[in-house]
């Protein structure tokens, strides 16, 4: 390694040269340029005879240039990251210095005491100095870029040519540790195709894009946050990238970029299948929600579950007065307890291991804490398990909801928000029917309170939505496990589809619907476009890079539908305060009648056989028609 190379390595390995060294180099350039200009006019021999007076003159005049450097901050930047703006600043500083030298010489008559410089010599001096300073900066930047590129072998295209894509490109070019070589941009707009941006070509988003990227040696696609939704919806583009083996990096789905804050390539993460599911961005007025929950005593059932734990996180951010967190799963609830002590130690949080169907225990909780808001997320939710255990479905889902709802009324809870499911619509399984019975109970109770037939002030709100990504027992973790094991990946039916939503998005909608509702509503969430499960499985296999993974169709499980519905056949929806939230208009029930039917169902459930339990469930919910189940004989 030659000495010059060692110097470059030393410089490029440091964060930046000290500002005084940049200023010193610029001053030396000024001095050398001034001597050179004088020598050109009068010759080298004469210049040597007046060398010291000339140097003194140039050093004095350099003070005007230093003033320009100070005003325009030319020495505070990092030379190896120089941009056009830095070069322009330097030009303005030299122009100011030259102007001041000319004014000083001809107004103060400094040439009486100093070496005289003609106007043309002063202007040539400033011009030559500026050219050398510019050249030095461009040269150092080029050396730096080449030094960095020699250590990188990961070529990347950026999808998006607006501020998001430019910000990512800037972070790649300016950060030494970046593993990427920016090789091109991708644009949907034809007006910029085949042009150059930041020194690289802009390519069209066409049918041969993946082939073009491979021919350029590109291994990675970085998606601008402003193009994330467009990319997700372009299934053809997504599939072509996956099939070509190109790694895709995006802002994680649970995060957002505001378009103003700094953006770095490090914020982009390699995508998984759920990141690529098409979805609309959901905007929630969380400040309005926070105003209602701030300082309140809030009880969350099922607090350790997928939905419940996210509710805890979001509500904790609003600084409630106290959180009462109930679940019967000891280890997951312990994790929630640790999370609260780590992130929100200032919020009093009581973690209670209890069964919501235990009336005595739940009454103790309500009597002691008197919650103002109840978010009821506790439920058994797995369809095949509840199909085999209808008693547990009644005891936990129905009786547990009845107990929590009645206690909310007794202890004057302001709002009771129940988390339901799309499987409650035209139910075909025990679990869905049990949740529909819960809906009927709380809605009829709300109606009875408003009509004065039940004494109380609690308002009951129900929220319905479909599958949430990443929840316990969802298909994506199951598929991942099966792929790692070498397959097969099991799908129940080639045509089965499901609606999906991110857990944080679902919980935000629950909070807004629950807090803004007036009571008695069943809020239905717009789940976006349904996803074919077989296609999801194929995409996950492709993204894993695994070979010879088979998809095996196992047949619909007991009680399972091909297509989940969001609304009952007889239902219509009404608009609300949010375009993603609708109100389902459902049949209204009289509370006295409902109470008797549900009390009887709960009483007989402990002793009756499965068939008897399900027969009574069908009497309460006539639209409950079993599918792929032993209970079909009851229809």
């Amino acid at each position: 390694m030659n000495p010059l190379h060692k110097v470059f390595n030393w410089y490029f390995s440091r964060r930046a040269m000290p500002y005084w060294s940049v200023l010193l180099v610029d001053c030396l350039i000024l001095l050398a340029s001034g001597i050179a200009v004088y020598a050109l006019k009068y010759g080298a021999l004469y210049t040597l005879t007046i060398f010291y007076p000339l140097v003194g003159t140039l050093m004095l005049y350099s003070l005007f240039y230093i003033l320009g450097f100070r005003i325009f901050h030319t020495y505070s930047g990092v030379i190896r990251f120089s941009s056009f703006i830095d070069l322009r600043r330097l030009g303005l500083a030299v122009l100011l210095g030259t102007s001041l030298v000319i004014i000083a010489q001809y107004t103060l008559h400094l040439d009486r005491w100093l070496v005289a410089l003609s106007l043309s010599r002063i202007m040539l001096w400033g011009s030559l100095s500026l050219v050398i300073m510019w050249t030095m900066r461009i040269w150092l930047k080029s050396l730096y870029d080449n030094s960095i590129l020699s250590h990188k072998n990961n070529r990347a295209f950026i999808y998006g040519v607006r501020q998001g894509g430019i910000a990512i490109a800037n972070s790649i070019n300016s950060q030494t540790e970046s593993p990427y070589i920016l090789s091109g941009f991708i644009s949907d707009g034809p007006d910029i195709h085949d042009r150059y941006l930041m020194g690289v070509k802009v390519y069209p988003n066409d049918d041969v894009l993946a082939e073009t990227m491979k021919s350029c040696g590109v291994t990675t696609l970085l998606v601008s946050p402003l193009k994330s939704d467009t990319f997700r919806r372009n299934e053809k583009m997504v599939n072509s990238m996956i099939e070509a083996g190109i790694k895709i990096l995006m802002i994680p789905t649970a995060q957002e970029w505001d378009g103003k804050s700094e953006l770095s390539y490090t914020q982009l993460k390699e995508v998984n299948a759920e990141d690529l599911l098409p979805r609309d961005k959901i905007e929630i007025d969380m400040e309005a929600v926070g105003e209602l929950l701030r300082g309140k005593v809030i009880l969350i059932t099922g607090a350790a579950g997928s939905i419940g734990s996210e509710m805890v996180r979001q509500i904790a951010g609003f600084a409630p007065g106290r959180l009462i967190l109930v679940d019967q799963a000891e280890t997951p609830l312990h994790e929630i307890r640790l999370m609260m002590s780590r992130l929100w130690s200032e919020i009093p949080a009581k973690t209670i291991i209890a069964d919501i169907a235990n009336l005595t225990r739940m009454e103790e909780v309500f009597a002691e804490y008197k919650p103002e808001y109840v978010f009821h997320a506790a439920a058994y939710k797995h369809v095949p398990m509840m199909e085999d255990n209808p008693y547990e479905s009644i005891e936990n889902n129905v009786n547990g909801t009845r107990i929590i709802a009645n206690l909310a009324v007794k202890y004057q809870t302001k709002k009771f928000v129940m988390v339901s499911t799309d499987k409650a619509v035209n139910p075909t399984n025990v679990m869905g029917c049990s949740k529909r019975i819960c809906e009927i109970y709380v809605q009829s109770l709300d109606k009875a309170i408003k009509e004065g037939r039940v004494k109380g002030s609690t308002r009951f709100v129900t929220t319905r939505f479909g599958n949430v990504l990443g929840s316990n027992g969802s298909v994506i973790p199951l598929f991942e496990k099966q792929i790692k094991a070498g397959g097969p990946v099991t799908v129940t039916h080639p045509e089965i589809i499901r609606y999906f939503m991110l857990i944080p998005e679902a919980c935000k909608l629950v909070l807004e619907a629950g807090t803004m509702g007036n009571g008695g509503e069943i809020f239905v969430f717009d789940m976006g476009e349904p996803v074919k499960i077989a296609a999801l499985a194929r995409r996950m296999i492709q993204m894993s890079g695994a070979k010879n993974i088979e998809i095996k169709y196992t047949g619909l499980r007991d009680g399972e539908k091909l297509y989940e519905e969001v609304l009952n056949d007889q239902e219509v929806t009404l608009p609300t305060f949010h375009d993603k939230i609708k109100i389902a208009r459902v049949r209204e029930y009289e509370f006295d009648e409902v109470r008797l039917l549900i009390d009887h169902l709960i009483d007989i459930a402990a002793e009756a056989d499965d068939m008897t339990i399900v027969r009574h469930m069908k009497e309460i919910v006539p639209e409950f028609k079993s599918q792929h189940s032993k209970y079909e004989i009851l229809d």
Side-chain angles (χ1 to χ4, degrees), residues 604-621:
I604 62 106
E607 300 177 358
D609 59 22
D610 291 352
M611 285 293 179
T612 303
I613 295 173
V614 174
R615 182 181 292 109
H616 280 79
M617 294 177 74
K618 289 176 181 289
E619 291 174 1
I620 299 173
V621 184

Side-chain angles (χ1 to χ4, degrees), residues 31 284 359 403 431 457 533-534:
L31 189 60
I284 300 294
L359 174 59
I403 287 173
M431 193 282 286
S457 58
I533 301 302

Side-chain angles (χ1 to χ4, degrees), residues 532-601:
K532 185 173 280 191
I533 301 302
L536 176 62
R538 281 192 292 272
R539 177 171 289 179
M540 291 184 66
I541 293 170
Q542 286 180 322
M543 293 179 69
S544 72
K547 304 298 182 183
N548 302 318
I549 299 290
E550 175 194 3
I551 295 179
K552 181 179 180 181
Y553 296 104
T554 59
L556 291 174
R557 299 174 297 176
D558 289 351
E560 190 171 42
K561 297 180 183 180
L562 272 180
Y563 315 106
E564 292 295 357
E565 302 163 82
V566 179
L567 292 174
N568 185 289
D569 289 341
Q570 282 75 44
E571 293 173 358
V572 294
T573 59
L574 297 174
T576 68
F577 40 80
H578 194 288
D579 61 358
K580 290 289 182 182
I581 304 174
K582 309 294 182 185
I583 296 176
R585 298 190 65 180
V586 298
R587 170 189 167 189
E588 292 188 344
Y589 289 78
E590 294 299 325
F591 179 67
D592 291 337
E593 177 187 349
V594 168
R595 180 176 56 187
L596 291 175
L597 288 171
I598 292 178
D599 286 351
H600 179 63
L601 174 63

Side-chain angles (χ1 to χ4, degrees), residues 157-160 186 188 205 221-224 227 230-231 237:
F157 271 18
I158 295 176
Y159 180 37
I186 302 168
D188 294 317
N205 187 2
L221 175 66
L222 307 175
V223 181
S224 162
K227 300 294 288 186
T230 303
F231 180 71
M237 183 182 183

Side-chain angles (χ1 to χ4, degrees), residues 137-152:
R137 283 161 168 78
I138 294 170
W139 181 61
L140 281 174
K141 179 173 174 57
S142 299
L143 285 174
Y144 169 73
D145 290 343
N146 291 331
S147 172
I148 293 302
L149 290 179
S150 66
H151 296 91
K152 299 179 180 182

Side-chain angles (χ1 to χ4, degrees), residues 61-86:
Y61 284 159
S62 292
L63 294 176
F64 295 111
Y65 288 99
I66 292 173
L67 178 62
F69 296 154
R70 178 71 182 85
I71 291 173
F72 290 100
H73 304 285
T74 63
Y75 53 82
S76 58
V78 181
I79 291 182
R80 61 176 180 257
F81 297 150
S82 294
S83 64
F84 175 77
I85 294 175
D86 297 306

